[in-house]
Each structure stands twice: as structure tokens, then as C-alpha cells.
Amino acid sequence: MDDYWPMFGLRLRYRDLVLRPMREADLPHLAAVLPDDVGHDPRLAMFASQTFAENERRLFCQGYWRALGTWEPASWELHLVIEYGGELVGVQTLEGTNFPALRTVDSASWLIRAARGRGVGVAMRTAALGLAFDHLGAVAAISSATRDNAASLGVSRRIGYADNGISRIVDTSGDVVELQNLRLTADRWAGAPVEVHGLIPVLPWFGLGS
Ligand SMILES: CC(C)(COP(=O)(O)OP(=O)(O)OC[C@H]1O[C@@H](n2cnc3c(N)ncnc32)[C@H](O)[C@@H]1OP(=O)(O)O)[C@@H](O)C(=O)NCCC(=O)NCCS
């Protein structure tokens, strides 16, 4: 399989974390430990036959398959699992829409509760940004979180993102909530010693190299 999808060979190492592309074999474990505060895109269909938690686990799996099934160099979504202390503790996603032209990455992430509050959130986002800014030629990274999501906003601010306005969305409960948008430009990226392995074969997957 890896001959056809060399992305599976990508590895990021930073501090005591390893980030690697999610594989189908990771889904049962990750879906089972998926926390109840991760949320999902409210535009996605909920099945009446499933509980809220079952819907979220199904949508999580579908998000994995969708990312692989729709990948193209112009538009991609890379789901990286986080290995920490010998365990899979969460997911860091990096997204590029019209990336060769816009050179902007968005991100999303979650951790099991037991792994939170120890700087893992900052480290995993930093690792993904190291890939984006130092290897993929990103010029900006954006992020957004509800204004009460102190941990997500804390990660962004710690890394140096600046506030970039407020937007309104309808959340998964149908309520209108405000999102804090943030942005970090390459000139303000502090840099980080992120080890990246297996990048050369996948550069064309990001619209780079030949
Ligand atoms: C968002 C998430 C991945 C962050 O990971 P984390 O390991 O908890 O975060 P860190 O320990 O790296 O902390 C990041 C910063 O936020 C601060 N922070 C973390 N939790 C906080 C809380 N509950 N209240 C206030 N500040 C908090 C930390 O102090 C730290 O800032 P500092 O370095 O300036 O002290 C994790 O909390 C999570 O999985 N949340 C649920 C899913 C989610 O909301 N994802 C983001 C959707 S936009």
C-alpha cells in the first residue's frame, strides 16, 4: 500500500512526540477514545439511527476516508496521529485549500483528556507548523476556536498567532456561536527543531517538487 500512498512514510518528531499519518488500522482505537468535546462540522449529516456519540465516531471515520479519497495537490487534509509515551493520544490535522496558490494552512486537533494540560497541544501544533513553514513553503497559518475554548486559543497564542477577527457559525446544537480567528505569518514563526522524515517522495502530493 505504501508504494501507492508514500504519505504513510512521513514522520515528524518533536520533543517527546511522533506524528505520523493516520491509517485505517488506527480508526477503531481512536474512535473508541474520541473525547466528547471534539465537535464536528455541523454541515455533516447526522443519522437518526445513531446516538450523538455514535454519529461523532462515524463522522470521525468518514473524515479519515474523505481526506484520502479527495486528496489532490491543490487541496488536501493531512490527519496525523500523535504517539506520546508509547500511546496514541490524539490527532493533529493540517489542511491546505488551494495550497499551491494561497500557501496557507489551517489546523484542527484533539487529545484524550489524560494527555491535556502538559504542553502536548502546543508541541503537536508546533510540529505541524514546522512541516508547513519550513518544508512546504507556507506563508501563513490560520486557526479558529469558539471564544470559550481556552485550551485551543492558548495553543495558538503561545505559538504566536495574532487575533484575526470574529466570525459567527451555527454549531452542532444549532446555536449561533462566535469564533475567534487567529493567524500566524511565516515572518513571525519562531521556528522549531522538528525532525521530518520521508518528505521527498510526498512533495508532489503538496504540489511541490516534480
Ligand atoms: C485543544 C487541545 C488539543 C490543547 O491541548 P493541551 O495539551 O490541552 O494544551 P497545552 O497543554 O499545550 O496548553 C496550551 C496553552 O493553553 C493553556 N490552556 C490549556 N488548557 C487551558 C484551560 N482549560 N484554560 C485556560 N488555559 C488553558 C495552557 O496554559 C497553554 O498556554 P501556556 O503555554 O501559555 O501556558 C486539547 O485541549 C483538546 O483536545 N481539546 C478538545 C478538542 C478541541 O477543542 N480542539 C480544538 C478545536 S478548535
Side-chain angles (χ1 to χ4, degrees):
M1 187 57 221
D2 297 23
D3 288 345
Y4 303 112
W5 201 258
M7 193 65 71
F8 287 135
L10 185 68
R11 291 289 176 281
L12 310 183
R13 290 178 201 279
Y14 181 58
R15 297 202 178 152
D16 42 5
L17 306 184
V18 177
L19 289 76
R20 61 163 177 83
M22 195 190 298
R23 304 196 71 133
E24 182 142 344
D26 299 317
L27 292 181
H29 173 73
L30 289 173
V33 299
L34 188 71
D36 62 5
D37 59 352
V38 171
H40 62 264
D41 182 340
R43 294 166 296 187
L44 297 172
M46 301 294 269
F47 293 179
S49 60
Q50 295 191 312
T51 64
F52 192 79
E54 288 167 344
N55 268 297
E56 291 220 302
R57 293 191 180 112
R58 172 184 54 78
L59 289 170
F60 171 71
C61 295
Q62 284 191 276
Y64 167 78
W65 292 312
R66 185 181 303 107
L68 296 194
T70 59
W71 187 292
E72 52 177 302
S75 234
W76 44 263
E77 194 170 1
L78 177 62
H79 294 301
L80 298 161
V81 298
I82 312 301
E83 296 178 355
Y84 172 67
E87 220 194 313
L88 286 192
V89 295
V91 176
Q92 175 70 55
T93 298
L94 192 66
E95 247 180 281
T97 303
N98 198 2
F99 183 72
L102 302 179
R103 301 274 175 202
T104 298
V105 290
D106 199 350
S107 62
S109 61
W110 61 264
L111 284 169
I112 58 169
R113 287 180 195 278
R116 295 183 193 174
R118 302 185 207 167
V120 177
V122 169
M124 63 205 233
R125 178 100 65 91
T126 300
L129 292 178
L131 173 69
F133 282 127
D134 298 334
H135 299 275
L136 303 181
V139 300
I142 55 172
S143 180
S144 60
T146 53
R147 297 178 79 186
D148 60 357
N149 192 339
S152 176
L153 296 173
V155 170
S156 297
R157 291 190 174 125
R158 174 74 182 199
I159 294 174
Y161 289 65
D163 287 357
N164 191 30
I166 304 286
S167 51
R168 277 154 64 83
I169 56 154
V170 177
D171 74 5
T172 50
S173 322
D175 298 325
V176 173
V177 292
E178 290 195 330
L179 278 188
Q180 175 70 55
N181 301 304
L182 302 108
R183 186 165 182 263
L184 173 66
T185 48
D187 58 306
R188 295 185 60 83
W189 162 240
V194 179
E195 280 179 48
V196 178
H197 300 278
L199 181 66
I200 301 291
V202 298
L203 284 175
W205 262 243
F206 296 99
L208 304 167
S210 51

